[in-house]
Amino acid sequence: MDAQKVDMFIISNNKFFESHRVVQIREKMLEMDESKWGFIQTLQFKDPTIALIISLLGGSLGIDRFFIGDTGLGIGKLLTCGGLGIWAIIDWFLIMGATREKNIEILAQVMR
């Protein structure tokens, strides 16, 4: 794939991924077939900042976990009222990283 396209993708979507994984993503995208480029451009990534705001407002109901696609954890969090509040507080610190990892999983599925 063209290096200029990959660099533009990385610059415009940098906030959706962990910074230490950006180099790996770039290398994999450079090795990737050009035919997947159109599909990669249509991917919708979850914003880690929005996930944090949702976690602060509705974290005890598991809405943040539903937002990033962790349905099982969302149901568990909902049924336990955010682990009696403890799990909800811990997720305030973890949800942004979890969101970025989910975004990398979404991108990895397309790059296979």
Side-chain angles (χ1 to χ4, degrees), residues 1 6 10 21-34 36 40 104 107-112:
M1 185 175 293
V6 172
I10 296 293
R21 305 279 302 265
V22 170
V23 175
Q24 294 172 340
I25 292 170
R26 184 180 187 278
E27 290 175 2
K28 284 192 174 189
M29 289 184 78
L30 287 173
E31 297 170 358
M32 197 172 58
D33 186 15
E34 188 77 31
K36 295 180 180 178
I40 285 177
I104 289 174
L107 185 61
Q109 287 176 351
V110 173
M111 291 196 302
R112 290 185 195 157

Side-chain angles (χ1 to χ4, degrees), residues 60-101:
S60 61
L61 300 175
I63 297 171
D64 52 348
R65 289 295 176 169
F66 289 118
F67 174 72
I68 65 170
D70 285 338
T71 307
L73 291 176
I75 291 172
K77 208 168 165 183
L78 176 66
L79 294 176
T80 62
C81 294
L84 301 174
I86 296 169
W87 187 359
I89 292 171
I90 291 172
D91 258 359
W92 293 349
F93 300 99
L94 299 178
I95 197 69
M96 291 182 79
T99 306
R100 290 184 179 116
E101 287 297 321

